[in-house]
């Protein structure tokens, strides 16, 4: 480390940017030319081991040569230069890109895919797909009536139906209005915005380590599931039926909250029983960071979810879906670009590296090592650190409150380690898939010395 974070150059840049927009969330300015692998370099030449990776979205480290190679290949240039409107004028290699890349990692049983740009846009359109499928079923496949077609133009029933989406406390599905209505992680995202009044069930509040509290945790999960079933019933009775249910395999921004595979299997049963579509939001958990390509593979669901959203490490946004969720008319799930084919070109390089370097096995091994290290430190400072938890390298731990948590994040940055907050009092770790045990050891040593220094 050369300076405190933020250093003088970051502060200078911050001052300039602040004249143009709100900068309160900016931590430091980065030099992405110099950043490499698992290390991010800031504008003052401070080098930090990055366990936050642009909010969990750098799959194989900074400036990976395979990605540089993909950009420099002449055959890929036109994709980067001429961004196609994929819904109307797809490029002639689009089928190939979808089949060889996106569909090659589709969750078992899901053969349809829709690309989008960012995660929020993905969720927004996933919600729309669930509504459209719900209403098609209600009409028994008949075309919409003239009354439905005219009333929807003024946001009125019957064309604009009063149907709802069920979500969970602590969920974070994005920043656009529909996604926000299903998100409950941070009041700052929602304040002053009139979003939909949709049902919210309480996500299970489990005790960690999960294996030690199986009985209590099962009771808590049963409570949450019965709330889900009650809410679905209640909304149906009140004439506002639930069309879909959104859930993250591990609630990420809302505090890194886990639930058991059993919980997810039971939730799927309840949804199926009530004809509620299930949208698994893997935007943060997908693409390998739990040691399986998709986190929900850990749950051994008897059948795939109805939709599964991806983003972040996949570089492209979008969702896989089951045949029943496919819209039958054009322009129902649509926008100018519906994704970005250049991102699929980059994704190809990422998927190649995951296979060639067996990165899922690396994530599993490193994750086990990392979590053991976190638990060892937790045992030394039980009054300060709690609830070390993780799947693969997607790990987190809790502090007494958000002030203490924020101090540790700041202290870690000044010692050359970048981590991120989650929920009220957690630190979340979101390293790239190329993060090794040696990186984990560097992190654990700096983390422990930061805690030691704090306690001294
Ligand atoms: C689980 C989940 N869903 C959706 C989103 C929204 O994605 P984006 O920020 O790309 O719009 C996020 C972003 O953090 C997320 O973690």
């Amino acid at each position: 480390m050369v300076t405190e974070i933020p250093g003088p150059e970051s502060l200078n840049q911050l001052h300039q940017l602040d004249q143009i927009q709100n900068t309160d969330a900016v931590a430091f300015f980065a030099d992405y030319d110099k950043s490499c692998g698992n290390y991010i370099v800031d504008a003052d030449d401070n080098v930090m081991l990055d366990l936050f990776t642009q909010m969990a979205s750098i799959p194989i480290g900074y400036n990976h040569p395979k990605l540089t190679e993909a950009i420099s290949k002449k055959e890929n240039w036109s994709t980067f230069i001429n961004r196609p409107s994929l819904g109307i004028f797809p490029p002639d290699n689009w089928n190939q890109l979808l089949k060889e890349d996106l569909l090659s990692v589709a969750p078992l049983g899901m053969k349809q895919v829709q690309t989008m740009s960012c995660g929020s846009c993905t969720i927004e359109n996933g919600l729309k797909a669930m509504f459209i499928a719900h209403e098609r079923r209600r009409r028994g496949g008949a075309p919409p009536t003239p009354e439905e077609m005219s009333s929807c133009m003024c946001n009125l029933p019957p064309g604009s139906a009063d149907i709802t989406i069920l979500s969970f406390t602590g969920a974070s599905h994005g920043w656009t209005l529909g996604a926000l209505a299903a998100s409950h992680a941070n009041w700052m995202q929602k304040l002053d915005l009139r979003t939909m009044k949709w049902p919210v069930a309480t996500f299970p509040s489990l005790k960690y380590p999960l294996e030690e509290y199986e009985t209590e945790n099962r009771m808590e999960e049963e409570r949450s599931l019965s709330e889900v079933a009650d809410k679905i019933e209640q909304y149906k009775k009140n004439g506002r039926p639930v069309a879909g249910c959104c859930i993250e395999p591990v609630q990420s921004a809302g505090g890194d909250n886990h639930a058991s595979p059993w919980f997810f299997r039971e939730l799927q049963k309840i949804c199926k029983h009530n004809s509620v579509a299930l949208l698994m939001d893997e935007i943060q958990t997908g693409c390998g960071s739990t040691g399986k390509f998709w986190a929900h593979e850990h749950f051994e669901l008897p059948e795939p979810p109805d939709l599964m959203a991806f983003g972040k490490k996949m570089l492209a946004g979008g969702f896989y879906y089951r045949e029943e969720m496919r819209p039958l008319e054009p322009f129902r799930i649509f926008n100018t670009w519906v994704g970005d084919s250049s991102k699929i070109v980059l994704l190809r390089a990422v998927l190649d590296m995951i296979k060639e370097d067996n990165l899922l096995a690396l994530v599993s091994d490193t994750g086990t090592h990392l979590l053991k290290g976190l638990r060892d430190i937790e045992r030394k400072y039980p009054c300060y650190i709690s609830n070390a938890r993780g799947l693969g390298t997607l790990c987190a731990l809790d502090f007494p409150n958000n002030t203490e948590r924020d101090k540790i994040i700041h202290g870690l940055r000044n010692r050359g380690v970048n981590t991120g907050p989650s929920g009220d009092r957690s630190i979340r770790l979101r390293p790239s898939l190329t993060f090794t045990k040696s990186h984990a050891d560097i992190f654990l040593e700096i983390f422990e010395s930061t805690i030691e220094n704090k306690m001294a």
Side-chain angles (χ1 to χ4, degrees), residues 8 30 48 52 54 57 74 101 105 116 121 148 195 205 224 260 325 336 361 380 399 421 426 456:
M48 283 165 270
F52 198 32
Q54 311 300 317
S57 66
K74 195 151 191 276
D101 300 300
V105 290
M116 283 290 155
C121 184
E148 285 176 328
T195 51
S205 171
S224 173
S260 72
M325 305 307 296
T336 302
K380 288 190 200 164
F399 292 83
S426 312

PDB file of all heavy atoms in Angstrom, residues 8 30 48 52 54 57 74 101 105 116 121 148 195 205 224 260 325 336 361 380 399 421 426 456:
ATOM      1  N   PRO A   8      -4.734  10.415  -2.478  1.00  0.00           N
ATOM      2  CA  PRO A   8      -4.885  11.765  -3.038  1.00  0.00           C
ATOM      3  C   PRO A   8      -5.432  11.792  -4.468  1.00  0.00           C
ATOM      4  O   PRO A   8      -6.265  12.626  -4.798  1.00  0.00           O
ATOM      5  CB  PRO A   8      -3.462  12.352  -2.986  1.00  0.00           C
ATOM      6  CG  PRO A   8      -2.572  11.293  -2.449  1.00  0.00           C
ATOM      7  CD  PRO A   8      -3.383  10.145  -1.973  1.00  0.00           C
ATOM      8  N   ALA A  30     -10.191   3.263  -9.591  1.00  0.00           N
ATOM      9  CA  ALA A  30      -9.307   2.137  -9.884  1.00  0.00           C
ATOM     10  C   ALA A  30      -8.544   2.369 -11.184  1.00  0.00           C
ATOM     11  O   ALA A  30      -9.015   3.082 -12.071  1.00  0.00           O
ATOM     12  CB  ALA A  30     -10.129   0.862  -9.985  1.00  0.00           C
ATOM     13  N   MET A  48      -4.605  -4.003  -4.119  1.00  0.00           N
ATOM     14  CA  MET A  48      -5.447  -4.710  -3.136  1.00  0.00           C
ATOM     15  C   MET A  48      -5.878  -6.080  -3.661  1.00  0.00           C
ATOM     16  O   MET A  48      -6.293  -6.190  -4.828  1.00  0.00           O
ATOM     17  CB  MET A  48      -6.704  -3.878  -2.848  1.00  0.00           C
ATOM     18  CG  MET A  48      -6.460  -2.710  -1.933  1.00  0.00           C
ATOM     19  SD  MET A  48      -7.856  -1.551  -2.013  1.00  0.00           S
ATOM     20  CE  MET A  48      -7.298  -0.494  -3.346  1.00  0.00           C
ATOM     21  N   PHE A  52     -14.108  -8.648  -3.574  1.00  0.00           N
ATOM     22  CA  PHE A  52     -15.457  -8.116  -3.850  1.00  0.00           C
ATOM     23  C   PHE A  52     -15.710  -8.081  -5.359  1.00  0.00           C
ATOM     24  O   PHE A  52     -16.846  -8.209  -5.806  1.00  0.00           O
ATOM     25  CB  PHE A  52     -15.614  -6.733  -3.222  1.00  0.00           C
ATOM     26  CG  PHE A  52     -17.059  -6.303  -3.077  1.00  0.00           C
ATOM     27  CD1 PHE A  52     -18.072  -7.227  -2.851  1.00  0.00           C
ATOM     28  CD2 PHE A  52     -17.420  -4.967  -3.164  1.00  0.00           C
ATOM     29  CE1 PHE A  52     -19.410  -6.834  -2.724  1.00  0.00           C
ATOM     30  CE2 PHE A  52     -18.749  -4.559  -3.039  1.00  0.00           C
ATOM     31  CZ  PHE A  52     -19.732  -5.496  -2.819  1.00  0.00           C
ATOM     32  N   GLN A  54     -15.926  -6.106  -8.142  1.00  0.00           N
ATOM     33  CA  GLN A  54     -16.991  -5.342  -8.810  1.00  0.00           C
ATOM     34  C   GLN A  54     -18.359  -5.939  -8.476  1.00  0.00           C
ATOM     35  O   GLN A  54     -19.138  -6.278  -9.355  1.00  0.00           O
ATOM     36  CB  GLN A  54     -16.778  -5.315 -10.331  1.00  0.00           C
ATOM     37  CG  GLN A  54     -15.377  -4.942 -10.771  1.00  0.00           C
ATOM     38  CD  GLN A  54     -14.959  -3.565 -10.286  1.00  0.00           C
ATOM     39  OE1 GLN A  54     -15.725  -2.630 -10.339  1.00  0.00           O
ATOM     40  NE2 GLN A  54     -13.731  -3.445  -9.782  1.00  0.00           N
ATOM     41  N   SER A  57     -18.698  -9.629  -9.866  1.00  0.00           N
ATOM     42  CA  SER A  57     -18.948  -9.785 -11.301  1.00  0.00           C
ATOM     43  C   SER A  57     -17.695  -9.951 -12.172  1.00  0.00           C
ATOM     44  O   SER A  57     -17.783  -9.829 -13.391  1.00  0.00           O
ATOM     45  CB  SER A  57     -19.794  -8.613 -11.800  1.00  0.00           C
ATOM     46  OG  SER A  57     -19.087  -7.418 -11.708  1.00  0.00           O
ATOM     47  N   LYS A  74      -9.921 -10.682 -34.906  1.00  0.00           N
ATOM     48  CA  LYS A  74     -10.592  -9.866 -35.926  1.00  0.00           C
ATOM     49  C   LYS A  74     -12.041 -10.327 -36.145  1.00  0.00           C
ATOM     50  O   LYS A  74     -12.945  -9.504 -36.317  1.00  0.00           O
ATOM     51  CB  LYS A  74      -9.801  -9.929 -37.235  1.00  0.00           C
ATOM     52  CG  LYS A  74     -10.179  -8.871 -38.212  1.00  0.00           C
ATOM     53  CD  LYS A  74      -9.001  -8.500 -39.095  1.00  0.00           C
ATOM     54  CE  LYS A  74      -9.320  -7.250 -39.882  1.00  0.00           C
ATOM     55  NZ  LYS A  74     -10.049  -7.450 -41.077  1.00  0.00           N
ATOM     56  N   ASP A 101     -22.573 -21.663 -26.238  1.00  0.00           N
ATOM     57  CA  ASP A 101     -22.132 -21.024 -25.001  1.00  0.00           C
ATOM     58  C   ASP A 101     -23.234 -21.003 -23.952  1.00  0.00           C
ATOM     59  O   ASP A 101     -23.200 -21.776 -23.010  1.00  0.00           O
ATOM     60  CB  ASP A 101     -21.589 -19.628 -25.319  1.00  0.00           C
ATOM     61  CG  ASP A 101     -20.410 -19.763 -26.283  1.00  0.00           C
ATOM     62  OD1 ASP A 101     -19.442 -20.421 -25.906  1.00  0.00           O
ATOM     63  OD2 ASP A 101     -20.496 -19.293 -27.415  1.00  0.00           O
ATOM     64  N   VAL A 105     -24.354 -24.361 -20.710  1.00  0.00           N
ATOM     65  CA  VAL A 105     -24.346 -24.382 -19.241  1.00  0.00           C
ATOM     66  C   VAL A 105     -25.762 -24.204 -18.679  1.00  0.00           C
ATOM     67  O   VAL A 105     -25.932 -23.864 -17.502  1.00  0.00           O
ATOM     68  CB  VAL A 105     -23.388 -23.300 -18.654  1.00  0.00           C
ATOM     69  CG1 VAL A 105     -21.949 -23.657 -18.904  1.00  0.00           C
ATOM     70  CG2 VAL A 105     -23.701 -21.907 -19.205  1.00  0.00           C
ATOM     71  N   MET A 116     -30.591 -10.544 -21.772  1.00  0.00           N
ATOM     72  CA  MET A 116     -30.933  -9.179 -21.366  1.00  0.00           C
ATOM     73  C   MET A 116     -29.617  -8.464 -21.077  1.00  0.00           C
ATOM     74  O   MET A 116     -28.554  -9.086 -21.115  1.00  0.00           O
ATOM     75  CB  MET A 116     -31.796  -9.185 -20.101  1.00  0.00           C
ATOM     76  CG  MET A 116     -33.240  -9.549 -20.348  1.00  0.00           C
ATOM     77  SD  MET A 116     -34.083  -8.228 -21.249  1.00  0.00           S
ATOM     78  CE  MET A 116     -35.404  -9.140 -22.032  1.00  0.00           C
ATOM     79  N   CYS A 121     -32.766  -5.652 -15.304  1.00  0.00           N
ATOM     80  CA  CYS A 121     -33.559  -5.779 -16.522  1.00  0.00           C
ATOM     81  C   CYS A 121     -33.974  -7.244 -16.710  1.00  0.00           C
ATOM     82  O   CYS A 121     -35.087  -7.543 -17.161  1.00  0.00           O
ATOM     83  CB  CYS A 121     -32.683  -5.293 -17.680  1.00  0.00           C
ATOM     84  SG  CYS A 121     -33.481  -5.252 -19.242  1.00  0.00           S
ATOM     85  N   GLU A 148     -59.827  -6.277 -22.667  1.00  0.00           N
ATOM     86  CA  GLU A 148     -58.496  -6.449 -22.046  1.00  0.00           C
ATOM     87  C   GLU A 148     -57.457  -5.597 -22.778  1.00  0.00           C
ATOM     88  O   GLU A 148     -56.617  -4.950 -22.163  1.00  0.00           O
ATOM     89  CB  GLU A 148     -58.091  -7.926 -22.049  1.00  0.00           C
ATOM     90  CG  GLU A 148     -58.828  -8.753 -20.997  1.00  0.00           C
ATOM     91  CD  GLU A 148     -58.506 -10.243 -21.061  1.00  0.00           C
ATOM     92  OE1 GLU A 148     -58.250 -10.758 -22.176  1.00  0.00           O
ATOM     93  OE2 GLU A 148     -58.525 -10.898 -20.011  1.00  0.00           O
ATOM     94  N   THR A 195     -43.869   1.418  -5.225  1.00  0.00           N
ATOM     95  CA  THR A 195     -43.814   0.162  -5.973  1.00  0.00           C
ATOM     96  C   THR A 195     -45.058  -0.666  -5.657  1.00  0.00           C
ATOM     97  O   THR A 195     -45.899  -0.250  -4.865  1.00  0.00           O
ATOM     98  CB  THR A 195     -42.536  -0.629  -5.628  1.00  0.00           C
ATOM     99  OG1 THR A 195     -42.441  -0.723  -4.227  1.00  0.00           O
ATOM    100  CG2 THR A 195     -41.298   0.022  -6.196  1.00  0.00           C
ATOM    101  N   SER A 205     -34.621 -17.360   9.296  1.00  0.00           N
ATOM    102  CA  SER A 205     -33.449 -16.781   9.965  1.00  0.00           C
ATOM    103  C   SER A 205     -32.720 -17.940  10.648  1.00  0.00           C
ATOM    104  O   SER A 205     -33.120 -18.379  11.727  1.00  0.00           O
ATOM    105  CB  SER A 205     -33.950 -15.742  10.964  1.00  0.00           C
ATOM    106  OG  SER A 205     -32.895 -15.321  11.759  1.00  0.00           O
ATOM    107  N   SER A 224     -41.398 -20.428   7.915  1.00  0.00           N
ATOM    108  CA  SER A 224     -41.352 -19.587   6.723  1.00  0.00           C
ATOM    109  C   SER A 224     -42.208 -20.187   5.603  1.00  0.00           C
ATOM    110  O   SER A 224     -42.962 -19.469   4.931  1.00  0.00           O
ATOM    111  CB  SER A 224     -39.896 -19.429   6.267  1.00  0.00           C
ATOM    112  OG  SER A 224     -39.833 -18.758   5.054  1.00  0.00           O
ATOM    113  N   SER A 260     -31.841 -24.238   3.719  1.00  0.00           N
ATOM    114  CA  SER A 260     -31.364 -25.600   3.398  1.00  0.00           C
ATOM    115  C   SER A 260     -31.909 -26.063   2.048  1.00  0.00           C
ATOM    116  O   SER A 260     -32.930 -25.553   1.570  1.00  0.00           O
ATOM    117  CB  SER A 260     -31.820 -26.567   4.484  1.00  0.00           C
ATOM    118  OG  SER A 260     -33.217 -26.765   4.353  1.00  0.00           O
ATOM    119  N   MET A 325     -43.148 -21.108 -20.059  1.00  0.00           N
ATOM    120  CA  MET A 325     -43.001 -19.685 -19.760  1.00  0.00           C
ATOM    121  C   MET A 325     -42.711 -18.869 -21.023  1.00  0.00           C
ATOM    122  O   MET A 325     -42.498 -17.676 -20.950  1.00  0.00           O
ATOM    123  CB  MET A 325     -41.853 -19.463 -18.755  1.00  0.00           C
ATOM    124  CG  MET A 325     -41.948 -20.238 -17.474  1.00  0.00           C
ATOM    125  SD  MET A 325     -43.516 -20.043 -16.618  1.00  0.00           S
ATOM    126  CE  MET A 325     -43.480 -18.315 -16.239  1.00  0.00           C
ATOM    127  N   THR A 336     -34.702  -2.632 -26.980  1.00  0.00           N
ATOM    128  CA  THR A 336     -33.879  -2.363 -28.170  1.00  0.00           C
ATOM    129  C   THR A 336     -32.837  -3.452 -28.412  1.00  0.00           C
ATOM    130  O   THR A 336     -32.727  -4.003 -29.491  1.00  0.00           O
ATOM    131  CB  THR A 336     -33.158  -1.005 -28.021  1.00  0.00           C
ATOM    132  OG1 THR A 336     -34.135  -0.004 -27.837  1.00  0.00           O
ATOM    133  CG2 THR A 336     -32.325  -0.687 -29.263  1.00  0.00           C
ATOM    134  N   ALA A 361     -13.750 -27.088  -9.300  1.00  0.00           N
ATOM    135  CA  ALA A 361     -13.060 -27.855  -8.247  1.00  0.00           C
ATOM    136  C   ALA A 361     -12.186 -26.916  -7.418  1.00  0.00           C
ATOM    137  O   ALA A 361     -12.108 -27.033  -6.179  1.00  0.00           O
ATOM    138  CB  ALA A 361     -12.222 -28.961  -8.873  1.00  0.00           C
ATOM    139  N   LYS A 380     -11.626 -17.444  17.855  1.00  0.00           N
ATOM    140  CA  LYS A 380     -10.719 -16.629  18.682  1.00  0.00           C
ATOM    141  C   LYS A 380     -11.387 -15.336  19.149  1.00  0.00           C
ATOM    142  O   LYS A 380     -11.004 -14.766  20.155  1.00  0.00           O
ATOM    143  CB  LYS A 380      -9.461 -16.263  17.864  1.00  0.00           C
ATOM    144  CG  LYS A 380      -8.533 -17.427  17.633  1.00  0.00           C
ATOM    145  CD  LYS A 380      -7.227 -16.910  17.040  1.00  0.00           C
ATOM    146  CE  LYS A 380      -6.486 -18.052  16.350  1.00  0.00           C
ATOM    147  NZ  LYS A 380      -5.445 -17.605  15.456  1.00  0.00           N
ATOM    148  N   PHE A 399     -20.676  -9.085  12.186  1.00  0.00           N
ATOM    149  CA  PHE A 399     -20.041  -8.249  13.209  1.00  0.00           C
ATOM    150  C   PHE A 399     -21.142  -7.734  14.134  1.00  0.00           C
ATOM    151  O   PHE A 399     -22.323  -7.868  13.828  1.00  0.00           O
ATOM    152  CB  PHE A 399     -19.279  -7.104  12.518  1.00  0.00           C
ATOM    153  CG  PHE A 399     -18.110  -7.636  11.750  1.00  0.00           C
ATOM    154  CD1 PHE A 399     -18.282  -8.146  10.470  1.00  0.00           C
ATOM    155  CD2 PHE A 399     -16.853  -7.712  12.323  1.00  0.00           C
ATOM    156  CE1 PHE A 399     -17.221  -8.707   9.782  1.00  0.00           C
ATOM    157  CE2 PHE A 399     -15.793  -8.272  11.639  1.00  0.00           C
ATOM    158  CZ  PHE A 399     -15.980  -8.768  10.363  1.00  0.00           C
ATOM    159  N   PRO A 421     -19.778  -5.063   1.868  1.00  0.00           N
ATOM    160  CA  PRO A 421     -20.787  -5.218   2.919  1.00  0.00           C
ATOM    161  C   PRO A 421     -21.967  -6.050   2.429  1.00  0.00           C
ATOM    162  O   PRO A 421     -22.162  -6.227   1.230  1.00  0.00           O
ATOM    163  CB  PRO A 421     -21.237  -3.774   3.162  1.00  0.00           C
ATOM    164  CG  PRO A 421     -21.074  -3.117   1.824  1.00  0.00           C
ATOM    165  CD  PRO A 421     -19.924  -3.805   1.131  1.00  0.00           C
ATOM    166  N   SER A 426     -22.965  -7.669   7.981  1.00  0.00           N
ATOM    167  CA  SER A 426     -22.111  -8.743   7.443  1.00  0.00           C
ATOM    168  C   SER A 426     -21.083  -8.190   6.467  1.00  0.00           C
ATOM    169  O   SER A 426     -21.303  -7.176   5.821  1.00  0.00           O
ATOM    170  CB  SER A 426     -22.947  -9.782   6.691  1.00  0.00           C
ATOM    171  OG  SER A 426     -24.064 -10.158   7.449  1.00  0.00           O
ATOM    172  N   ALA A 456      -7.058  -4.548  20.113  1.00  0.00           N
ATOM    173  CA  ALA A 456      -5.923  -4.191  20.991  1.00  0.00           C
ATOM    174  C   ALA A 456      -6.249  -2.945  21.841  1.00  0.00           C
ATOM    175  O   ALA A 456      -6.984  -2.073  21.428  1.00  0.00           O
ATOM    176  CB  ALA A 456      -4.704  -3.916  20.136  1.00  0.00           C
TER     177      ALA A 456
END
